[in-house]
């Protein structure tokens, strides 16, 4: 449910590159009784000295304390802060001038009154001095110079920034000039994994396309010791804020090719971008190190000076110096290895195809691998030797999907090798570097015995990254404003390809929740168009969000349904053929599809209404006999003071009771339109299978007819249609279009329901409301919601089997049902889970817990002192990646405050749990009442440390902010959130996600205001 900061938006399961850390179903955990334990207990794994962090606000803001009874007029920041013990109060008071409160005080009679004459003269002198000062101030600086000022009508001169050396930097924009472009890079690197530094030498063959006196390119955090241009030494100017370097020439460079060369040194990065170092412990506990890269979007410039924009495609030849025990990998196959006779070897890789700098990659590590040939390419999977057994599934899957894409795109993967590498310490979910895809271990490694639900995640991520080898790598967006061309497409293809190649994994239903997740983000006024204006590095980072990935994929699904599947595929093939090794904008794609389409509408005109305006439409359906009136408006929560004339071209689909399989299409282009039905019908359901990106509202009679039809026979609609009705009715109640009573009316049929999609959607929505009430300390209502869930889902929960299961759909359903049941302590769930956990322990942790129930079982076990200890041990020692991940979620779900703080500290500093898991840990903690305020305080207190590890605007930061603030629903928390982010200045106050967080809190407040009474009455 969106405005509660749905669990969907902070960590969308499908936002592959960024978010493969979310794991559990969206359910609540009501286990409020934290186990007490003796601090000095030897069995307790946490040393009491370890827990030094004491968040201030949370200590006061416990149930029933702290946030009530504020008089609105009297309430100001300070008083709220005092009430909350707000941690940032000190920061703000430090900034206040110590004298400020005394400025109006004056000692009476401390000086005598001057005479009137003295005062008049004094005032005159003051006026004169002030006038002269103003004249001098406002005169241009050129007035008193030899050359004088230019004429008034001359164009405004650019203001050049000052470079590090003090000279003027010759470029004034964030985007590089187009006059010079790279043709080929020769890059030699020598990383030293002991000193954590590297040396580089890069030669760039550049082509001057227009005569110019300067070359500007990117470079960041490196010490360039020598630079030459066509073998002559040149001076480098650097402007650090924009990560640019420049060479100035006295004469115009003529068109033609030249060679730039840089010799430089730099530190290996410690924050997961650029060329970074990471470490892990092997099964013997020995510390191992490796170096790897993560360049997208803006970090290739940290590894070598380069023209670091996606449109500057070039070829790359890479050489890597290494010690003999390490393996090195890069985008291309190894061409040769030279013994440097000093104990070091140098690997040289083949010259690459033409590609963007953000896709360059290299890894130096001690890895094992398995390989297979597909078509003309060798596919290999690499991982640390301890996890060699968990690589086979990924290898088989990658081979099958590569074959599928080769055929589907009618163009073979162009490289002779494709490596998939599991990096033990990796921030993104995965990264599609051409020929060298990097993954988290959790998104690539899975045992052969693992269940299909664990395999679903790995398959889905591989499918996404492989799709990028065409969409993103072969054809690339010109600039980051069209990131959705990469991400929306890869997300769409990931569901489409897995559904085709592995139908047993039930990805089609997963794709349905992708649309719901995209709605959740796009209802906000602070959302953005799919194709948005992007300039600063922070704005580039922020494009990696639900709109680019999930809304992008959703509007492509709508388009592919409006065209035929064959036309859609043909259009894609045409697009890839036309633009291979080049860059594109959205219009290029629409034109390719228009060329092959035989439909009576213009693809570009239709799709522009979906990509260049934010949000999505609400379609209202009013029926009078056979006449149906359709109206569209922008579905916008918090729409105060917003006048909106957005209009979409909607390919509306519908079915009715007389023919369930005859889908009709109506193109709604205007604000309103009338549709004439051929015959009388009992009911109409619009947005068939929820393939379109819009929400539908019916008149009273329309809703009544649908609800009655469902009550009479719940199979009358498809599972997707039922799930979308449930999703839509909750959204409409938040908008105030339907009452909560009507929501419950629709849900009345659910006791008969057996299908996964509608049941999990209903559970998700109810769970969100439960969590909001719980955190508002509306205990009576929360308990009534719990009873409602028990009443409507109890018998289904009781009837779930705890044995091994093979159907993914059944596993998804029971995982959601039982996780909710154990959280609410109903249906004997906790007892059964405990039994299973003990059994698993007795079997030496070797078997006994079905994989889909493992998180639920672990979470119940984590409630006890011993259980938590066992799980910590499992997390530290297990080599089975999915099991490790579930243990971590269980550890973070604890209700014990000390453990919560301990785990936050250990994850942020990376000492026990890798720092990339920090967003997952915070997200899990924030689900529960016990920890969400502590997590919020921890994030505030450690903000500077956090932004050193994760870039401002990045997905990790977006996730942290959403997780910590999305359950706030009081004015006090709203102000606290606003004040904290305002105080950040350049350290993050401008992020879009901050606006989203504020808007979400306001929506929660409004929802509570509107619905508390209704809930009291009807729940
Ligand atoms: Zn992607």
């Amino acid at each position: 449910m969106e405005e509660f900061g749905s669990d969907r938006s902070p960590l969308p399961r499908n936002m592959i590159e960024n978010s493969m850390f979310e794991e559990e179903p969206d359910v609540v955990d009501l286990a409020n009784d934290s186990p007490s334990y003796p601090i000095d207990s030897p069995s307790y794994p946490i040393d009491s000295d370890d827990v030094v962090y004491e968040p201030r606000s949370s200590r006061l803001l416990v149930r029933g304390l702290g946030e009530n009874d504020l008089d609105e007029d009297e309430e100001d920041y300070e008083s709220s802060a005092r009430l909350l013990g707000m941690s940032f109060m000190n920061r703000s008071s430090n900034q206040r001038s110590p004298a400020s409160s005394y400025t109006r005080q004056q000692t009476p009679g401390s000086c005598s009154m001057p005479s009137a004459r003295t005062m008049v003269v004094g005032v005159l002198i003051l006026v004169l001095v002030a006038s002269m000062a103003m004249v001098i101030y406002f005169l241009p600086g050129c007035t008193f110079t030899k050359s004088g000022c230019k004429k008034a009508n001359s164009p405004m001169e650019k203001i050049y920034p000052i470079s590090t050396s003090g000279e003027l930097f010759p470029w004034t924009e964030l985007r590089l000039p187009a006059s010079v472009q790279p043709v080929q890079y020769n890059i030699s690197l020598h990383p030293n994994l002991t000193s954590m530094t590297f040396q580089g030498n890069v030669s760039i063959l550049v082509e001057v396309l227009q005569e110019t006196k300067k070359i500007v390119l990117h470079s960041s955090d490196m010490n360039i010791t020598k630079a030459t241009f066509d073998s002559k030494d040149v001076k480098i100017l650097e402007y650090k804020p924009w990560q640019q370097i420049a060479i100035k020439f006295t004469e115009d460079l003529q068109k033609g090719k030249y060679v730039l060369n840089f010799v430089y040194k730099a530190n290996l990065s410690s924050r997961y971008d650029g060329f970074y170092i990471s470490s892990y412990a092997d099964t013997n506990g020995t510390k191992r190190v490796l170096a790897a890269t993560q360049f997208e979007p803006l970090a290739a410039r940290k590894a070598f000076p380069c023209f670091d924009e996606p449109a500057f495609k070039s070829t790359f030849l890479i050489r890597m110096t290494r010690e003999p025990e390490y393996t090195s990998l890069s985008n291309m196959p190894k061409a040769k290895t030279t013994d440097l006779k000093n104990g070091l070897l140098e690997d040289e890789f083949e010259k690459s195809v033409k590609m963007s700098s953000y896709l360059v990659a290299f890894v130096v590590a001690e890895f094992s691998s398995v390989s297979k040939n597909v078509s003309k390419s060798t596919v290999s999977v690499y991982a640390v030797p301890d996890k060699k057994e968990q690589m086979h599934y990924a290898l088989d899957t990658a081979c099958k999907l590569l074959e599928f894409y080769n055929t589907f795109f009618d163009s073979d993967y162009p490289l002779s090798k494709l490596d998939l590498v599991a990096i033990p310490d990796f921030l993104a979910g995965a990264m599609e570097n051409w020929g060298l895809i990097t993954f988290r271990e959790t998104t690539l490694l899975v045992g052969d015995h693992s269940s299909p639900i664990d395999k679903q995640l790995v398959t889905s991520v591989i499918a996404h990254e492989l799709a990028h080898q065409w969409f993103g790598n072969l054809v690339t967006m010109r600039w980051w404003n069209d990131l959705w061309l990469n991400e929306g497409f890869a997300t769409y293809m990931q569901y489409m390809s897995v559904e085709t190649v592995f139908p047993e994994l039930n990805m089609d239903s997963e794709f349905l929740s992708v649309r719901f997740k995209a709605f959740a983000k796009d209802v906000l006024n602070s959302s953005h168009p799919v194709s948005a204006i992007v300039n600063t590095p922070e704005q580039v980072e922020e494009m990696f969000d639900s709109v680019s990935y999930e809304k992008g994929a959703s509007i492509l699904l709508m388009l592919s349904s409006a065209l035929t599947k064959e036309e859609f595929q043909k259009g894609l093939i045409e697009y890839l053929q036309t633009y291979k090794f080049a860059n594109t904008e959205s219009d290029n794609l629409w034109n390719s599809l228009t060329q092959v389409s035989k439909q009576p509408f213009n693809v570009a005109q239709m799709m522009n209404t979906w990509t260049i305006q934010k949000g999505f439409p609400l379609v209202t359906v009013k029926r009078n006999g056979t006449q149906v009136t359709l109206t569209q408006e922008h579905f916008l929560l918090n729409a105060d003071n917003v006048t909106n004339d957005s209009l979409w071209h909607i390919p509306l689909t519908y079915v009715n009771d007389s023919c369930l399989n005859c889908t009709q299409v109506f193109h709604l282009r205007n604000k309103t339109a009338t549709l004439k039905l051929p015959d009388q019908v009992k009911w109409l359901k619009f947005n068939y299978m929820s393939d379109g990106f819009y929400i539908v509202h019916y008149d009273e009679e329309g809703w009544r007819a649908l609800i009655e039809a469902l009550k009479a026979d719940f199979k009358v609609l498809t599972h997707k249609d039922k799930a979308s009705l449930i999703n839509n009715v909750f959204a409409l109640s938040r908008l105030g279009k339907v009452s909560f009573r009507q929501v419950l009316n629709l849900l009345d049929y659910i006791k008969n329901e057996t299908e996964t999609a509608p049941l999990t959607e209903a559970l998700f929505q109810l769970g969100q409301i439960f969590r909001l009430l719980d955190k508002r300390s509306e205990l009576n209502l929360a308990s009534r919601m719990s009873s409602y869930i028990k009443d409507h889902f109890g018998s289904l929960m009781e009837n779930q089997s705890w044995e091994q299961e093979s159907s993914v759909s059944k596993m998804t359903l029971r995982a959601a049902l039982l996780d909710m049941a154990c959280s609410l302590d109903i249906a004997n769930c906790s007892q059964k889970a405990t039994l299973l956990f003990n059994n698993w322990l007795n079997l030496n942790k070797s078997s006994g817990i079905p994989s889909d129930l493992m998180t639920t079982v672990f979470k119940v076990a984590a409630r006890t002192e011993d259980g938590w200890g066992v799980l910590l041990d499992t997390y530290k020692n297990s080599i089975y990646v999915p099991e490790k991940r579930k243990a971590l979620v269980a550890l973070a779900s604890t209700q014990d405050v000390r453990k919560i703080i301990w785990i936050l500290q250990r994850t942020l500093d990376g000492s026990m749990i890798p720092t990339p898991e920090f967003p997952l840990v915070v997200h899990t903690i924030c689900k529960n009442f016990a920890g969400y305020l502590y997590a919020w305080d921890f994030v505030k207190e450690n903000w500077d440390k956090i932004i050193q590890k994760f870039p401002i605007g990045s997905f990790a930061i977006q996730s942290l902010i959403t997780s910590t603030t999305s359950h706030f629903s009081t004015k006090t928390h709203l102000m606290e959130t606003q004040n904290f982010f305002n105080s950040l200045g350049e350290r993050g106050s401008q992020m879009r996600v901050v606006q989203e967080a504020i808007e979400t809190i306001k929506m929660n407040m409004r929802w509570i205001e509107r619905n508390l009474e209704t809930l009291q009455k009807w729940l």
Side-chain angles (χ1 to χ4, degrees), residues 206-239:
V206 295
E207 181 163 12
V208 174
L209 301 172
Q210 290 156 6
E211 292 178 3
T212 177
K213 284 197 173 70
K214 60 184 174 288
I215 296 179
V216 186
L217 64 161
H218 290 109
S219 157
S220 173
D221 301 334
M222 58 181 60
N223 175 17
I224 297 174
T225 50
K226 184 176 170 64
T228 61
F229 179 77
D230 266 4
S231 306
K232 292 187 199 83
D233 284 357
V234 284
K235 185 177 173 187
I236 295 290
L237 298 175
E238 182 172 16
Y239 184 55

Side-chain angles (χ1 to χ4, degrees), residues 471 477 482-490 575 584-586 589:
F471 280 94
M477 77 261 143
D482 272 328
L483 178 69
W484 85 277
L485 277 175
N486 276 14
E487 298 306 346
F489 244 104
Y575 170 77
T584 56
E585 291 165 355
S586 299
L589 174 64

Side-chain angles (χ1 to χ4, degrees), residues 16-17 432 464-465 468 486-487 490 549:
I16 297 304
E17 273 78 16
E432 70 264 21
H464 181 103
E465 303 309 327
H468 270 314
N486 276 14
E487 298 306 346
Y549 283 74

Side-chain angles (χ1 to χ4, degrees), residues 463-498:
H464 181 103
E465 303 309 327
L466 254 56
H468 270 314
Q469 307 300 307
W470 286 262
F471 280 94
N473 300 8
L474 187 62
V475 180
T476 315
M477 77 261 143
R478 191 177 307 287
W479 178 242
W480 300 105
N481 64 321
D482 272 328
L483 178 69
W484 85 277
L485 277 175
N486 276 14
E487 298 306 346
F489 244 104
T491 307
Y492 170 81
M493 288 308 303
Q494 121 193 30
Y495 290 98
M496 199 279 266
S497 65
V498 177

Side-chain angles (χ1 to χ4, degrees), residues 543-678:
M543 287 304 281
F544 291 80
D545 71 357
S546 192
V547 171
S548 296
Y549 283 74
E550 288 157 352
K551 183 177 178 184
S554 303
I555 61 172
L556 287 170
L557 173 72
M558 182 168 62
L559 176 61
S560 73
S561 304
L563 301 169
T564 62
K565 274 189 178 166
E566 293 69 32
E567 279 179 352
F568 190 64
Q569 184 180 357
K570 224 170 140 191
L572 300 187
I573 292 170
E574 167 75 27
Y575 170 77
L576 291 170
Q577 273 303 325
T578 311
Y579 300 105
K580 61 184 172 191
F581 301 109
N583 294 79
T584 56
E585 291 165 355
S586 299
D587 273 346
N588 300 123
L589 174 64
W590 307 145
N591 291 340
S592 295
L593 286 159
T594 305
Q595 277 176 35
V596 302
S597 165
K598 295 190 176 65
Q599 304 299 321
F601 59 87
N602 179 301
V603 174
Q605 277 174 9
M606 175 172 116
M607 293 313 288
N608 280 337
T609 69
W610 296 92
T611 53
I612 59 182
Q613 56 190 357
K614 68 181 177 188
F616 59 88
L618 163 66
V619 176
T620 304
V621 179
K622 286 188 174 137
R623 184 157 66 93
N624 187 0
T626 55
Q627 184 141 320
V628 183
T629 311
L630 303 161
T631 314
Q632 64 160 302
E633 63 189 291
H634 188 170
F635 192 113
L636 194 59
L637 296 170
N638 266 358
D640 298 348
N641 308 322
V642 178
T643 50
N644 207 305
D645 50 4
S646 304
L647 214 53
W648 286 265
H649 175 162
I650 313 168
L652 274 178
T653 51
Y654 59 97
V655 287
N656 62 58
D657 58 291
S658 64
C659 183
L660 299 177
N661 296 320
C662 331
T663 318
Q664 309 285 318
V665 186
F666 180 84
H667 286 265
L668 179 61
R669 297 177 170 90
N670 302 320
K671 181 98 185 144
T672 59
T674 307
L675 163 70
K676 184 94 176 93
L677 299 173

